[in-house]
Amino acid sequence: MAKLSRMRIDIKDVIDNLTLEQKCAFICGENLWSASALDVDDVLPIKFAYAQSGIGDHCLSNAEASMSLSAVLFPSAYALGCTWDPEAAFEVGKEVANDACKLDIDVLVVSGPNPSRSLASARSAFVYSEDPQLNIQLCASFINGISSSGIGVVIASLGIEDREEARSFFNYIVDKRNFIENYFTPLYKVAMQTKPMGILIAAGNLNGVNQISNPWIQEGKDILEKNGFDGMFLSPWFSGTSPVLSVENGCLPEMTLLAKSSSQRLQDACSSGMLSETLIDSIVAQLLECNNKLVDLRPLQMQSDISEDAHIKRAKESIILLENNNNCLPAPKGSKINLFGCSEFDACLQTEGRNKVQGAPLGSIESQFANFSEINQEGLEGRSDYSFVFANALMNQGQKDIFPSYGGQLGQLLEKAAQCADKVVLVLRSPSPVPLAWHEGVDAVVYDPCSGQGGDAAIAQLCFGEGDFTGKLSKTMPVESENFPSHHYLGLGQSQARYQESIYSAYKYSYTAGVSPRYWFGHGLSYASFEYSGMSVSPVGDSANIEASIRVTNNSQIHSAQVVQLYICDMGKRVFKPDIELRRFAKIFLGPNESKIATFRLSKDDFMHFEAKKDAYAHYSSTYAISFAVSPDRIIHTETRVVLADSPFVPGVPASRVPTYAHPSSRAPIFPNIEFREFFTSPIDSSRQGYIEGMSLGSLEASLGGNGFDRLPYGNPKTEKTLEMLAKHFGEPYSGLEGYLPGALYYGMGSSDLVALAKSALPWRWRSIAKRADKLAGLYKDRLLQTD
């Protein structure tokens, strides 16, 4: 393996012996997923890969892909979120690293702790939860599991990115308090705990400025570096970011299939004085330091293939029992059952392309259920004890941002299921929460959030009492998607979205505004029953440090687990805050009639908020309700405690002037635009239109180059001609080719060459691109020959 022969190098000595051409070629990469090798001191290439749910074929060479290498299908980040178990995340991280070892991968790009905002994002499966506290612990544990097995990690991403469509130029309008509390601070805490090899910058624009050069992102990078982060900052893949823009802002350029073109552009920028060679040297040093860190990691110890039992165990922890009327489940073994809609997951989609899944299918749904029951082969003509109805909705990264849909046939299946059985169990399998306004009448609902290749067996075992349901929702399930305030500001089909709900997302909004969802964040039923007792809250040292504990007892005869959740509520309300916020949690495993005490310590940091007017975290003296709960709507025990600040604090914005859209007392279901603009403290660009119809040449150019094609004028005939050709041949800007286009446009690559590039590099997308070409050419043609 390349990893085992990698040698530590003297970074300064290597840089001193490289020409500018060698430096530029080195940092621009060998191909999409591999940094270049260097002849000097035998520096080996560094191989990267995305790793959520499984390592796809995107990182494999053509020779490797043709070998039909098997993939391991792991639980998604969302599924790990539903375990509420950092130890499970750590173990899955080790297993992912083992798979990476077999593929000779050096560094894995993994999901960061950014929160889930909406149900519509195609990236939902890659987000742990909607709460930063849960995200921090699970993400850090997953990364530490990978690192403990000798594989490097890059965290994605610094900034905001929850889109697939138009991701390269999409604009996110976000107030700074939301950005700091929900996006930057969680990433900072994870980075400090895990010391990753690097951090990926988010694609697109934040408040109208490319995130590579956005001042909030630059400020965040400075904070990370001042506090000990010494890894790389990387430009996002497939974003079309100019290599010059990346290097100017201290980031490794995007890896593309046009590495030679990117390298030449960097050399030209240095020759013209646009770029300093010192900046090139700093990026080379970052990449060489990554080499040395890989050497310092302990030697890889490749393990044998993961056992079927291990896959099932992982899946069981994430699968959730949402509803269980009249103790419908567990079904008695030997029951006569009907199965409807039980098509299997498209596992290759979930692993993004590798041709087959190792050891999968572990057995079809039918064979798994046949282990416990008699499957009725007579259909509607034979009455059964149970009908199990399976509804699958899979999305993988690269699909459009849509709400998961189960199709119109589901209602018909439920009707048929009810006609031929005494009890109906609905099994939902989806990478995202779904609006559940339509499932009344079923006796039980089981939810699988993409739990990996052991999911089918785990569902069958749990439904027949082989183990207990211990998963809890990490994202709120609404009755209707409109119940989330973010629904009104997603910008689907457009080029920007306003994060107008600010800090009031998901359960925090539902609780504060009194809008009940279908199933709350943290919800999940069990066969076991639990009792809470003996809550204690006491100061530790000064009164801003608090220790809270509670006893949990399993009042049943089965082994199970309960997630203890601790929430706080500011009773003073001098600064607008949600009425409830998760601060601590623990998954407690209990045997029959066993009791354990869960103990948590809170510090003054847990009571702080970011004060945008002061551009700093602050807190003030107030009375807080400290509550243990099963979920936000099911508070078990509450005590109040006065928390004292070190010094008096006066809010930057008096409570009476806080915009009503954000104030807890408003109970506003939709937030007024004019008040969000006041809270945002600066004008908001509302001129952006749909990214297909009405796009200007400037917007299209920005979506592909990010920085004026290294400041080429809009009127450049070569640029305009290439853009016109591009529209005809490649359709909409988000075609999956953003990563290759800047260099191609700069050097005027001919249309036939670009067509050949698309066919060779993206064969799985070529047909859909070609299908849209004629329609989109008509929309773009007139605009592309104009200047802004």
Side-chain angles (χ1 to χ4, degrees):
M1 290 181 57
K3 166 71 178 180
L4 298 179
S5 59
R6 191 177 296 278
M7 301 295 292
R8 188 172 182 83
I9 57 174
D10 184 318
I11 293 175
K12 184 179 184 303
D13 182 63
V14 170
I15 292 176
D16 289 344
N17 286 281
L18 293 176
T19 65
L20 175 62
E21 181 180 358
Q22 288 175 314
K23 295 173 185 176
C24 293
F26 178 55
I27 64 175
C28 287
E30 183 176 301
N31 53 48
L32 271 172
W33 298 101
S34 180
S36 298
L38 279 175
D39 292 335
V40 180
D41 285 347
D42 297 321
V43 176
L44 297 169
I46 299 171
K47 190 174 181 181
F48 294 81
Y50 273 117
Q52 288 297 163
S53 297
I55 302 173
D57 68 355
H58 57 271
C59 62
L60 305 181
S61 67
N62 291 334
E64 290 171 325
S66 66
M67 296 168 59
S68 299
L69 295 176
S70 62
V72 182
L73 183 59
F74 298 100
S76 66
Y78 177 31
L80 291 178
C82 291
T83 69
W84 289 65
D85 186 356
E87 290 186 11
F90 182 87
E91 291 302 318
V92 172
K94 289 175 61 177
E95 293 164 0
V96 172
N98 188 51
D99 194 36
C101 176
K102 295 176 182 178
L103 294 171
D104 202 18
I105 291 167
D106 299 295
V107 179
L108 292 174
V109 182
V110 305
S111 296
N114 286 358
S116 172
R117 183 196 180 217
S118 75
L119 310 183
S121 173
R123 291 173 170 246
S124 186
F126 302 89
V127 180
Y128 293 93
S129 83
E130 64 193 34
D131 186 89
Q133 298 297 325
L134 184 54
N135 290 339
I136 290 167
Q137 289 201 41
L138 293 171
C139 182
S141 294
F142 181 69
I143 291 172
N144 284 331
I146 294 173
S147 299
S148 71
S149 298
I151 298 292
V153 173
V154 166
I155 305 177
S157 55
L158 172 56
I160 295 181
E161 183 179 0
D162 66 0
R163 297 297 296 259
E164 282 303 323
E165 291 186 280
R167 64 187 290 267
S168 59
F169 70 96
F170 198 80
N171 186 36
Y172 303 96
I173 300 177
V174 184
D175 67 89
K176 192 163 188 180
R177 179 172 177 186
N178 185 14
F179 174 77
I180 294 295
E181 289 189 6
N182 289 326
Y183 293 87
F184 175 72
T185 299
L187 179 74
Y188 169 82
K189 289 184 176 180
V190 169
M192 292 299 102
Q193 291 178 38
T194 64
K195 304 297 183 183
M197 294 283 182
I199 295 174
L200 196 70
I201 306 297
N205 301 317
L206 176 59
N207 298 328
V209 180
N210 189 299
Q211 296 196 71
I212 289 287
S213 54
N214 187 282
W216 290 0
I217 304 299
Q218 293 300 317
E219 180 184 1
K221 289 168 59 181
D222 291 342
I223 293 172
L224 284 161
E225 290 174 336
K226 287 177 181 178
N227 287 278
F229 173 73
D230 60 353
M232 303 178 290
F233 291 102
L234 297 87
S235 300
W237 275 264
F238 306 110
S239 67
T241 306
S242 156
V244 176
L245 178 68
S246 296
V247 172
E248 281 178 332
N249 289 281
C251 296
L252 185 72
E254 176 188 354
M255 296 181 192
T256 77
L257 291 181
L258 296 177
K260 290 183 179 180
S261 297
S262 295
S263 174
Q264 185 61 54
R265 294 171 72 188
L266 290 175
Q267 294 176 59
D268 292 347
C270 287
S271 298
S272 66
M274 182 187 300
L275 196 63
S276 166
E277 188 171 346
T278 302
L279 288 174
I280 300 285
D281 289 348
S282 68
I283 306 301
V284 173
Q286 288 183 32
L287 199 52
L288 292 174
E289 181 59 32
C290 180
N291 174 88
N292 287 349
K293 289 179 178 179
L294 289 170
V295 174
D296 293 339
L297 288 176
R298 72 181 189 181
L300 291 171
Q301 296 180 354
M302 195 184 312
Q303 305 297 318
S304 59
D305 290 342
I306 303 166
S307 69
E308 179 176 336
D309 288 342
H311 282 298
I312 296 171
K313 178 183 177 182
R314 301 278 176 263
K316 279 184 175 180
E317 272 210 71
S318 64
I319 295 171
I320 304 166
L321 182 60
L322 294 177
E323 200 160 310
N324 193 26
N325 298 324
N326 300 316
N327 295 319
C328 171
L329 295 176
K333 294 177 182 178
S335 298
K336 192 171 185 179
I337 68 170
N338 287 306
L339 296 176
F340 293 89
C342 53
S343 58
E344 297 168 12
F345 277 132
D346 185 343
C348 288
L349 263 183
Q350 200 172 336
T351 53
E352 298 191 21
R354 281 167 71 182
N355 295 336
K356 60 184 179 181
V357 173
Q358 173 195 1
L362 297 178
S364 64
I365 287 289
E366 290 89 342
S367 65
Q368 294 297 338
F369 273 73
N371 293 330
F372 304 99
S373 62
E374 176 188 350
I375 299 178
N376 183 7
Q377 304 296 332
E378 300 178 11
L380 295 178
E381 297 178 0
R383 190 74 180 173
S384 297
D385 301 310
Y386 285 83
S387 284
F388 288 86
V389 180
F390 290 80
N392 298 343
L394 266 189
M395 293 184 296
N396 71 311
Q397 187 174 0
Q399 291 184 294
K400 292 185 177 181
D401 302 288
I402 57 174
F403 292 97
S405 172
Y406 295 100
Q409 294 182 343
L410 181 56
Q412 299 175 14
L413 286 178
L414 290 172
E415 289 181 8
K416 291 180 180 179
Q419 292 171 13
C420 64
D422 297 327
K423 297 179 180 180
V424 177
V425 179
L426 175 61
V427 181
L428 301 174
R429 301 195 292 187
S430 167
S432 172
V434 292
L436 288 176
W438 40 260
H439 77 287
E440 287 84 353
V442 301
D443 297 284
V445 180
V446 175
Y447 181 54
D448 178 3
C450 295
S451 60
Q453 67 188 62
D456 287 352
I459 290 170
Q461 291 182 19
L462 289 171
C463 286
F464 286 90
E466 294 271 326
D468 195 11
F469 289 92
T470 65
K472 309 291 180 184
L473 283 176
S474 65
K475 303 176 188 178
T476 302
M477 275 196 180
V479 177
E480 300 283 358
S481 55
E482 290 83 355
N483 293 155
F484 283 163
S486 59
H487 172 80
H488 306 280
Y489 310 105
L490 295 177
L492 293 176
Q494 298 184 339
S495 60
Q496 72 177 6
R498 301 190 304 275
Y499 279 50
Q500 201 147 321
E501 71 280 5
S502 185
I503 59 174
Y504 290 95
S505 59
Y507 80 89
K508 296 177 184 178
Y509 170 76
S510 296
Y511 191 95
T512 305
V515 179
S516 295
R518 174 66 71 183
Y519 299 113
W520 285 87
F521 168 82
H523 171 77
L525 304 178
S526 300
Y527 297 144
S529 60
F530 300 94
E531 178 185 348
Y532 291 77
S533 61
M535 177 178 179
S536 172
V537 177
S538 57
V540 177
D542 63 74
S543 58
N545 293 300
I546 291 172
E547 186 173 274
S549 62
I550 196 165
R551 179 181 295 275
V552 186
T553 303
N554 176 7
N555 289 332
S556 67
Q557 299 303 310
I558 61 176
H559 288 83
S560 189
Q562 178 69 322
V563 176
V564 180
Q565 303 167 38
L566 186 149
Y567 294 86
I568 66 169
C569 172
D570 179 6
M571 308 297 288
K573 300 189 188 304
R574 290 171 55 196
V575 173
F576 72 92
K577 288 184 178 181
D579 280 358
I580 197 165
E581 299 176 276
L582 180 72
R583 279 296 178 265
R584 295 289 186 274
F585 69 91
K587 192 166 190 174
I588 309 295
F589 291 86
L590 297 165
N593 300 311
E594 184 181 5
S595 294
K596 290 182 180 179
I597 296 176
T599 301
F600 305 107
R601 180 167 291 188
L602 301 174
S603 69
K604 65 180 181 180
D605 291 347
D606 293 300
F607 303 96
M608 300 181 79
H609 72 283
F610 184 80
E611 178 55 58
K613 294 287 186 179
K614 298 179 180 294
D615 200 30
Y617 270 96
H619 71 303
Y620 61 97
S621 300
S622 186
T623 300
Y624 283 83
I626 299 170
S627 304
F628 284 104
V630 175
S631 56
D633 65 318
R634 296 177 61 194
I635 303 296
I636 304 299
H637 291 283
T638 298
E639 287 195 20
T640 58
R641 179 69 51 178
V642 175
V643 176
L644 299 177
D646 295 332
S647 59
F649 169 69
V650 179
V653 179
S656 61
R657 292 184 53 201
V658 171
T660 60
Y661 89 88
H663 200 285
S665 64
S666 71
R667 302 289 192 261
I670 300 177
F671 307 142
N673 294 343
I674 188 170
E675 294 177 352
F676 178 68
R677 287 197 294 271
E678 177 186 345
F679 179 66
F680 192 72
T681 70
S682 63
I684 296 172
D685 177 13
S686 59
S687 63
R688 292 172 178 261
Q689 300 176 17
Y691 59 83
I692 294 179
E693 297 183 345
M695 176 177 287
S696 67
L697 174 60
S699 296
L700 178 60
E701 181 274 330
S703 77
L704 299 173
N707 193 29
F709 299 126
D710 296 337
R711 304 181 180 88
L712 281 176
Y714 287 156
N716 183 289
K718 183 167 60 177
T719 302
E720 292 182 4
K721 181 179 179 180
T722 309
L723 285 170
E724 181 182 12
M725 174 277 299
L726 175 69
K728 290 179 179 179
H729 285 280
F730 293 92
E732 64 199 56
Y734 183 70
S735 62
L737 288 170
E738 298 95 327
Y740 324 136
L741 291 174
L745 295 174
Y746 185 80
Y747 287 99
M749 179 182 281
S751 61
S752 60
D753 294 329
L754 276 174
V755 170
L757 174 62
K759 288 183 176 179
S760 62
L762 297 165
W764 61 92
R765 291 182 180 171
W766 171 249
R767 293 190 180 186
S768 61
I769 293 170
K771 186 176 180 180
R772 294 191 294 265
D774 291 340
K775 174 184 175 183
L776 294 171
L779 294 174
Y780 287 134
K781 184 174 182 180
D782 293 337
R783 286 191 175 275
L784 290 175
L785 296 178
Q786 302 172 6
T787 59
D788 283 352

